[in-house]
Amino acid sequence: MNQDNIESILEETRIFSPPQSDTSFSSLDHWQITSDAFTTDFEGTWGKLAQQHLTWQKTFTQVLDETNPPFYRWFSDGQINLSENCLDRHVKYGLGDRTAIIWQGEAGDVRHISYTELLANVCKAANTLKSLGVKTGDRVVLYMPMIPETAMAMLACARIGATHSVVFGGFSAQSLRDRIEDAGASVVITADGGYRRGVVHALKLSVDDALSQGCKSVNHLLVVKHGGNDVAWQEGRDVDWHEALAAQSDICPAEILDSEHPLFILYTSGSTGKPKGIVHSTAGYLLWAHLTMQYSFDFKPESDVFWCTADVGWITGHSYSVYGPLSNGGTSLMYEGVPTYPDAGRIWKICQEHQVTVFYTAPTAIRALIKAGDDYPNAYDLSKLRVLGTVGEPINPEAWMWYHKTIGQERCPIVDTWWQTETGGHMIAPMPFATPTKPGSATLPLPGVFAEVVDADGEVVKEGGGLLVLTKPWPSMLRGIWGDKSRFIETYWQKFANKGYYFAGDGARKDEDGYIWIMGRVDDVLNVSGHRLGTMEIESALVSHPAVAEAAVVGCPDDIKGEGIFAFVTLKTTETNDLVQVLRAHVSQEIGAIAKPDVIRFTHDLPKTRSGKIMRRLLRDIAAGKAITSDISTLENQSVIAILQGQ
Ligand code: WT7
């Protein structure tokens, strides 16, 4: 987070009482009582919730197996199918006609899909996958736009026990290839195209490109015709989604699966090397996606229309566009396009038209909407909104206040949710009608979550700054990194191995009320518009260009994106006029448009210590345009500073 935000958060003293409500968590006492239940009987409380909220194929007898930490297992002798929990049980109890998904296309088309219809399509898709040879335990990669077929494909995988891995449609063919290969997927599901800003984005073209080299594990490509554009077709390999589903039965028994069966792999960036495939289990993940809908959003499936603006290519889309709302039998809105297209009123127009009651987005979107002006939200009826959530990055108090006043009309509680791809669901967040809120703080751990701020030795900081850890396992915790046990241990568990704490990678501060304020990543991971990007990944993309000798990437303050990407580059060749553009395009091709550096500064040398380490703190100060505070006495070549500063 940039310095101005940190300062405004440190000075923040406002407290907002939760609005009155007759909901089950309507005072901080309810939060306390529920949290205490976990302190008194950790496993018993989790076990009871898992029994009450989920439908089991075979009930479990053991809640938590901690014989081999950090490889924790939850409800491990139970059996459960996630798609049955998201679909069959609602239809069985008479909710078949309820709308499961409201889909809003960018071009204006709308679809309402009932639970009955969704179940039938999921069964057909599951039978299609089977007919393509997909078996329990196989991996299926999805590279899709935000359309109902994406949710159907995820649920179809879950139904037959195929582990899905959704790759965000904005990632390049190269990134897609890396993920397909790492996961060893046998089928890729994609679309001919998806709409973004009025233009059809040719997804299948990227898949064809990815499969043109490597990806030997892939046997079939299942293609949803959606964008209406011409696509190349490889007979025998490519299968038309609609044609294939039409030929299948709408009945497909839900596979009997163990609680710990790997539900999905989702790739995320780390501070070193290639993106890591975060593995989530079935039962534990589902339980927390289900419960947090109620804890953090006060979700009422019979009356709420829930809209999470995240793409399903990210964990937020998995847990809160698809699995959380559907497991509760509620209505989830999916929007295909860009939130500011054709203008900055699009989000508010959708809220009005579909009577959205709970809205969940990222601070970066809020900041962009603030910039567009209040006339946009003021032109729409937002009176149905009752809870407003944010996720992905620290929210600056000004953005929080605007969300609270202009969008929430001071009526809607603001729920700032801290969590990660690895945690599966919210960890630190207010309960909207129970927890008093403070602008910029994610407030308190949810019931069942044991979070602390600790010093470098792992000692708990009662008040003040430190590192954020989770001191107890939780059901929706990641089960590992796909194919890399040691990286899993090193990344999350090594730092506080003597205590057995999970290290989140974030810095945080605890105030006098025990409220937690997230201060941002403490590793070499950038948070750009709420998306995680590894500096090393961008550096390797840059040095893979023939003109580049060396690159160092750091974050820089950005008013809208929270953090921007600043690259310092040394060249093998002489600088040409278009080189900045060429390198930005190269990074885009290697990783995806989200990783394009905002600034590229050429230098003949990078600042290094005598032992050869790049002085990143110095580069961060320079990128922020700040006075240099780092100790530069060990810098070999001091004259490089003026060049780095662009002078
Ligand atoms: C990182 C996780 C899981 C949601 C989407 C991002 C940052 C997330 C907040 C918040 C401050 C936040 C952290 C975290 N982050 N939510 N409410 N306040 N920071 O998931 O890509 O796995 O990134 O996002 O730095 O470690 P992700």
Side-chain angles (χ1 to χ4, degrees):
M1 188 166 39
N2 74 48
Q3 202 56 35
D4 292 348
N5 286 346
I6 292 181
E7 275 156 23
S8 63
I9 275 184
L10 290 175
E11 284 160 14
E12 185 55 56
T13 53
R14 288 169 287 196
I15 301 182
F16 293 85
S17 303
Q20 293 283 302
S21 165
D22 57 1
T23 194
S24 36
F25 292 96
S26 58
S27 84
L28 202 55
D29 289 346
H30 292 124
W31 171 85
Q32 189 71 59
I33 292 163
T34 317
S35 299
D36 287 350
F38 287 97
T39 309
T40 332
D41 182 8
F42 185 70
E43 290 191 33
T45 308
W46 278 121
K48 211 181 312 165
L49 288 167
Q51 290 292 359
Q52 275 169 3
H53 290 272
L54 302 183
T55 302
W56 295 84
Q57 293 169 323
K58 178 179 153 235
T59 180
F60 55 89
T61 59
Q62 187 182 17
V63 174
L64 172 62
D65 172 357
E66 36 188 352
T67 49
N68 186 24
F71 299 93
Y72 297 96
R73 292 157 62 82
W74 287 83
F75 319 113
S76 56
D77 61 346
Q79 288 176 320
I80 190 164
N81 187 294
L82 177 138
S83 91
E84 207 169 16
N85 276 269
C86 289
L87 302 167
D88 307 57
R89 63 168 170 173
H90 308 314
V91 174
K92 189 167 155 194
Y93 293 113
L95 305 177
D97 290 340
R98 183 179 286 169
T99 301
I101 297 174
I102 301 175
W103 178 76
Q104 171 73 60
E106 195 189 66
D109 31 349
V110 172
R111 287 163 69 186
H112 284 249
I113 297 167
S114 70
Y115 273 95
T116 304
E117 203 182 327
L118 187 60
L119 173 59
N121 279 293
V122 167
C123 286
K124 288 180 179 192
N127 286 328
T128 302
L129 289 173
K130 281 187 186 172
S131 76
L132 298 178
V134 179
K135 290 185 285 302
T136 304
D138 290 354
R139 273 83 55 213
V140 173
V141 162
L142 275 66
Y143 187 68
M144 300 280 277
M146 279 292 279
I147 53 176
E149 284 74 12
T150 308
M152 289 171 193
M154 290 163 78
L155 288 157
C157 288
R159 195 160 189 91
I160 62 171
T163 301
H164 62 66
S165 184
V166 186
V167 177
F168 172 57
F171 277 123
S172 66
Q174 178 61 46
S175 295
L176 175 63
R177 182 183 301 134
D178 291 344
R179 287 156 173 77
I180 293 172
E181 290 194 334
D182 189 76
S186 60
V187 167
V188 176
I189 310 182
T190 189
D192 57 349
Y195 288 84
R196 283 191 72 74
R197 235 175 261 290
V199 177
V200 176
H201 179 67
L203 290 159
K204 183 170 186 288
L205 203 61
S206 296
V207 185
D208 288 338
D209 182 357
L211 299 192
S212 67
Q213 291 165 42
C215 298
K216 293 281 172 277
S217 57
V218 177
N219 303 319
H220 289 288
L221 195 49
L222 190 53
V223 186
V224 179
K225 297 277 178 68
H226 169 72
N229 52 337
D230 272 342
V231 285
W233 206 259
Q234 190 173 314
E235 284 308 325
R237 183 194 73 178
D238 298 352
V239 178
D240 180 308
W241 167 281
H242 288 107
E243 282 176 15
L245 263 68
Q248 294 293 337
S249 155
D250 59 4
I251 295 170
C252 173
E255 197 69 37
I256 311 280
L257 298 172
D258 290 342
S259 295
E260 283 292 316
H261 186 74
L263 173 67
F264 65 84
I265 304 169
L266 187 57
Y267 287 85
T268 187
S269 295
S271 50
T272 53
K274 291 247 173 226
K276 43 197 183 199
I278 303 298
V279 181
H280 277 286
S281 73
T282 302
Y285 168 80
L286 177 64
L287 177 63
W288 198 231
H290 180 101
L291 281 177
T292 46
M293 285 298 296
Q294 302 178 11
Y295 287 0
S296 330
F297 296 128
D298 185 46
F299 186 56
K300 302 271 183 275
E302 61 287 357
S303 51
D304 276 324
V305 174
F306 182 83
W307 183 17
C308 162
T309 64
D311 190 280
V312 280
W314 311 108
I315 189 72
T316 312
H318 282 59
S319 303
Y320 300 108
S321 272
V322 182
Y323 294 134
L326 298 182
S327 169
N328 280 278
T331 302
S332 178
L333 188 140
M334 255 179 137
Y335 170 56
E336 182 186 3
V338 171
T340 48
Y341 183 84
D343 61 45
R346 189 67 193 262
I347 282 193
W348 315 124
K349 183 168 187 271
I350 294 173
C351 284
Q352 170 182 295
E353 285 180 359
H354 299 293
Q355 312 214 321
V356 173
T357 57
V358 184
F359 179 69
Y360 190 36
T361 196
T364 192
I366 299 171
R367 289 190 293 261
L369 293 164
I370 295 175
K371 213 172 165 191
D374 289 3
D375 288 351
Y376 287 107
N378 291 344
Y380 297 98
D381 176 8
L382 302 178
S383 61
K384 287 281 188 294
L385 289 172
R386 61 182 202 93
V387 176
L388 299 173
T390 80
V391 58
E393 50 180 322
I395 181 164
N396 45 313
E398 306 88 87
W400 195 101
M401 287 305 297
W402 181 84
Y403 203 28
H404 176 62
K405 287 192 169 158
T406 308
I407 305 307
Q409 305 287 312
E410 301 186 29
R411 177 187 74 242
C412 306
I414 305 293
V415 186
D416 175 359
T417 59
W418 176 85
W419 58 299
Q420 309 178 296
T421 306
E422 292 86 344
T423 69
H426 305 154
M427 294 279 115
I428 306 174
M431 295 177 106
F433 298 99
T435 316
T437 48
K438 304 184 186 187
S441 170
T443 77
L444 302 166
L446 287 169
V449 175
F450 292 79
E452 289 292 354
V453 176
V454 298
D455 64 17
D457 301 323
E459 295 307 322
V460 170
V461 173
K462 288 217 170 64
E463 201 184 317
L467 300 171
L468 187 64
V469 295
L470 298 165
T471 62
K472 275 181 184 288
W474 65 102
S476 64
M477 66 199 302
L478 76 163
R479 296 305 195 263
I481 294 175
W482 184 256
D484 201 342
K485 275 191 181 174
S486 53
R487 193 173 176 195
F488 170 62
I489 297 170
E490 273 158 36
T491 313
Y492 307 105
W493 305 95
Q494 199 109 302
K495 195 166 182 72
F496 298 110
N498 55 336
K499 306 263 180 189
Y501 295 166
Y502 167 90
F503 173 50
D506 281 307
R509 188 173 67 89
K510 203 174 208 186
D511 72 12
E512 63 281 9
D513 297 321
Y515 274 43
I516 294 172
W517 302 70
I518 311 294
M519 309 308 283
R521 302 287 309 187
V522 294
D523 51 9
D524 290 323
V525 170
L526 304 182
N527 190 328
V528 179
S529 303
H531 299 315
R532 226 155 108 174
L533 289 167
T535 48
M536 284 238 331
E537 257 176 283
I538 307 172
E539 287 163 7
S540 348
L542 283 165
V543 296
S544 73
H545 190 278
V548 176
E550 217 178 359
V553 169
V554 294
C556 60
D558 183 294
D559 283 350
I560 302 288
K561 297 196 284 187
E563 201 160 31
I565 304 170
F566 201 120
F568 295 90
V569 169
T570 63
L571 295 174
K572 285 183 192 156
T573 55
T574 44
E575 189 182 330
T576 51
N577 283 341
D578 61 348
L579 196 54
V580 167
Q581 286 324 316
V582 168
L583 292 181
R584 294 183 76 222
H586 179 72
V587 173
S588 188
Q589 175 141 23
E590 288 290 303
I591 306 175
I594 49 169
K596 260 198 270 191
D598 297 282
V599 183
I600 295 182
R601 186 164 292 165
F602 298 118
T603 165
H604 62 83
D605 214 354
L606 287 169
K608 288 187 188 154
T609 60
R610 289 200 178 103
S611 62
K613 269 185 87 175
I614 292 179
M615 299 172 80
R616 289 181 176 276
R617 234 192 92 206
L618 171 66
L619 292 179
R620 275 195 289 268
D621 284 347
I622 293 172
K626 285 201 313 198
I628 291 160
T629 53
S630 341
D631 173 12
I632 52 165
S633 58
T634 56
L635 176 59
E636 287 274 79
N637 174 4
Q638 308 245 347
S639 64
V640 75
I641 291 195
I643 297 164
L644 295 168
Q645 285 172 320
Q647 291 159 7

